[in-house]
Structures are given as structure tokens and as C-alpha cells.
Amino acid sequence: MPKKELLYKLGIVIYLTLWFVGSFWMMAALQSGLLDHMLGIDWKLVEEYAYYALAGAIGGSLYALRLFHEFYNRMSERWLFWYLLRPIKCAGAAVMTIILFQSGVLLLQTGDSMMAKISIAFLVGFGYGKVMEKLKALAETLFNGKTSNSSSKGNQDAPSDVWNEDDVPKR
């Protein structure tokens, strides 16, 4: 195995592990009050959403670590940015999905407890690709009056080099 490829793989596993462990640590630090006024931010005002973001990052990094382990021998440089961005995208998607549930735009029967919302945020992070497909279909239905399967003059097919979020690494 070339040294460059080994360094990429080592860097990815360290990065994802830091996101995974670091997100749990940040949740504990928020709960303990350690970060109440860090970086000029009153974290108590956004604490709920920070928990959702961290739970989404945990789900996303866990999914990425699982894929990394499963497809270690087939990983290429093409997937480097996928692995780097996965926890960040999952954190943002988790927060916005919880906001969509709280606003009533999306409906899901679950408890109104913080643990239920954190659990949903984790699942959003873990199943990020599927969640994005559903949100895309919802947005197209709401704003176009059509589903993603409909054709219109304004719609363009995705470029052939774009892949689904939950595809496995291919060489």
C-alpha cells in the first residue's frame, strides 16, 4: 500500500474518531456547565440545538467509521472529502430536522422529551442520505407541486460523477 494512501486512511480514522468521542465529550461538557460562556456565546441559549447537532455528528461519524472499516481496502482519494464532511453535514441536518419536527412541517409521533429528540437527531446523522432524499422529495412536493420522478423543462439530471450519500466506496 502506498504511503500516501495509508496516511489518508490514518488521518480519516483519527478525524472520525475525534468527532465521535469529541461529540460525547462536548455533550458532557455542556451538561456539566463547563462551557456556559465559552467563546463569548451563552451556550444555555442554544444548548438544546447543540445537543441535536452533536447527536447528529455522532450518528454521522459512526456511520462513516462503519463504512471505513467495511470498505477499507476499496477506499480511494475520491472519498476523502465525503469522510471529512460527513459529521458536519449530519450535525446540520440533525438540527434542521428537529426544527422541522418542532415547527410541525414534518410530523412524527414521538415523545416531546429531550432524549427522544436527541435519538431522532442521532438517527438523522446515521441515515443522512435517506433523510436528504426524503427532504428533497418533500421540498419538491411543497414548492413544485411535483415529485422528484416528474419531468419538467427546468429539471436537469445530476452529473454522472455525483453519487448517492449512502453509496459505498467504489474504485
Side-chain angles (χ1 to χ4, degrees):
M1 171 181 319
K3 188 174 184 170
K4 183 179 176 183
E5 186 179 329
L6 183 61
L7 286 175
Y8 280 135
K9 290 178 178 181
L10 184 60
I12 288 169
V13 79
I14 289 170
Y15 174 79
L16 291 173
T17 302
L18 286 173
W19 264 103
F20 186 73
V21 174
S23 294
F24 280 111
W25 183 88
M26 282 294 292
M27 282 182 159
L30 280 170
Q31 182 68 33
S32 72
L34 180 65
L35 307 174
D36 281 354
H37 293 288
M38 189 174 189
L39 301 172
I41 299 170
D42 184 2
W43 286 98
K44 287 295 179 194
L45 297 175
V46 294
E47 184 175 21
E48 257 185 70
Y49 298 106
Y51 284 128
Y52 307 147
L54 292 167
I58 290 168
S61 58
L62 182 63
Y63 182 85
L65 282 166
R66 182 184 69 81
L67 272 187
F68 181 82
H69 178 262
E70 191 172 334
F71 297 100
Y72 177 82
N73 291 328
R74 292 195 282 172
M75 200 191 95
S76 65
E77 275 186 42
R78 174 181 182 206
W79 286 88
L80 178 64
F81 288 107
W82 185 93
Y83 283 107
L84 293 177
L85 293 175
R86 181 76 183 205
I88 298 165
K89 293 187 310 182
C90 293
V95 171
M96 292 313 300
T97 302
I98 296 298
I99 290 171
L100 289 169
F101 283 132
Q102 288 177 333
S103 70
V105 172
L106 292 177
L107 300 175
L108 180 68
Q109 268 190 324
T110 182
D112 199 31
S113 73
M114 176 70 103
M115 287 308 242
K117 292 175 188 173
I118 289 173
S119 299
I120 292 167
F122 169 80
L123 291 173
V124 167
F126 193 80
Y128 175 80
K130 302 287 187 244
V131 172
M132 290 297 106
E133 288 173 18
K134 292 294 184 187
L135 289 176
K136 180 182 176 192
L138 173 64
E140 288 174 349
T141 301
L142 285 174
F143 301 116
N144 289 338
K146 301 172 185 148
T147 62
S148 60
N149 294 336
S150 336
S151 61
S152 88
K153 293 178 185 175
N155 288 351
Q156 295 179 348
D157 290 335
S160 61
D161 62 341
V162 175
W163 66 91
N164 182 317
E165 276 297 323
D166 288 331
D167 280 351
V168 296
K170 296 178 180 93
R171 235 188 184 165

